[in-house]
């Protein structure tokens, strides 16, 4: 059972690595030109936070997968919601940092936050531990959603290319 645990824990990091590749250039060139709120976390916090969050969500998915006996019919909704939120998570960075589409990124992150909430609701009867491991992720997404909104509001379409 080590291989599924390691694989499912590592899976979210794949999108994180791709996102980091996109973000690295934009954080030095485009992102500093945006108006940002004073309460935003420092840039150095983001890779640390996302490493922890990706690890927690990945391990959570393993706990649910294990409890349901793998990719069974019963796992379709809880792991399907997890897959959907992971896809929404992975596309946010290319939308925001890659395409500079602040409004579209805001739509994505609102959908993402709702999908994470739905994932947690579907997981609660299966594994409370898995659900609780997702709580920091949901809290961070609430902050990130507010930050995305403020950046969009304060920069509007003028910074979108």
């Amino acid at each position: 059972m080590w291989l599924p645990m390691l694989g499912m824990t590592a899976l979210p990091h794949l999108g994180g690595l791709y996102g980091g590749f996109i973000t690295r250039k934009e954080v030095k060139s485009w992102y500093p030109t945006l108006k940002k709120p004073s309460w935003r976390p420092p840039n150095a916090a983001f890779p640390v936070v996302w490493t922890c969050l990706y690890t927690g969500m990945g391990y959570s998915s393993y706990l649910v997968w294990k409890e349901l006996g793998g990719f069974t019919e019963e796992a379709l909704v809880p792991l399907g919601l997890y897959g959907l939120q992971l896809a929404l998570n992975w596309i946010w960075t290319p939308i925001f940092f890659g395409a500079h589409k602040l409004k579209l990124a805001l739509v994505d992150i609102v959908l993402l936050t709702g999908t994470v909430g739905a994932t947690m609701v579907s997981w609660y009867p299966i594994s409370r531990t898995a659900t609780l491991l997702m709580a920091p992720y949901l809290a961070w997404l609430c902050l990130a959603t507010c930050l995305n909104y403020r950046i969009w509001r304060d920069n509007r379409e003028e910074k979108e290319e």
Side-chain angles (χ1 to χ4, degrees):
M1 288 306 254
W2 284 97
L3 193 56
M5 181 190 66
L6 291 175
M8 293 182 86
T9 300
L11 178 64
H13 292 277
L14 295 178
L17 291 171
Y18 176 66
F21 177 75
I22 293 170
T23 304
R24 184 179 2 228
K25 176 184 162 231
E26 299 298 329
V27 149
K28 294 175 186 167
S29 59
W30 172 73
Y31 191 66
T33 69
L34 297 174
K35 296 175 196 137
K36 296 173 282 302
S38 61
W39 49 263
R40 74 175 171 84
N43 290 347
F46 287 88
V48 175
V49 169
W50 278 110
T51 298
C52 295
L53 295 176
Y54 281 142
T55 301
M57 79 172 79
Y59 184 69
S60 293
S61 72
Y62 166 73
L63 293 176
V64 171
W65 175 84
K66 184 178 80 165
E67 192 64 36
L68 294 175
F71 295 110
T72 62
E73 188 174 331
E74 189 181 5
L76 183 64
V77 170
L79 293 180
L81 284 168
Y82 173 75
L84 176 59
Q85 73 80 27
L86 197 57
L88 289 167
N89 179 298
W90 286 352
I91 65 169
W92 184 88
T93 300
I95 294 169
F96 186 91
F97 283 102
H100 305 166
K101 298 295 183 188
L102 306 178
K103 188 176 184 180
L104 184 58
L106 179 59
V107 170
D108 176 77
I109 201 167
V110 168
L111 292 172
L112 169 59
T113 304
T115 305
V116 169
T119 301
M120 292 172 69
V121 168
S122 76
W123 284 10
Y124 188 76
I126 301 161
S127 171
R128 290 181 182 167
T129 301
T131 304
L132 291 172
L133 283 170
M134 293 285 278
Y137 177 36
L138 184 60
W140 181 261
L141 284 176
C142 289
L143 172 72
T145 301
C146 292
L147 181 58
N148 192 154
Y149 169 75
R150 279 290 303 270
I151 291 172
W152 168 73
R153 186 195 74 183
D154 293 348
N155 295 277
R156 292 295 176 170
E157 306 299 323
E158 74 216 24
K159 291 289 182 177
E160 294 192 31
E161 298 171 6

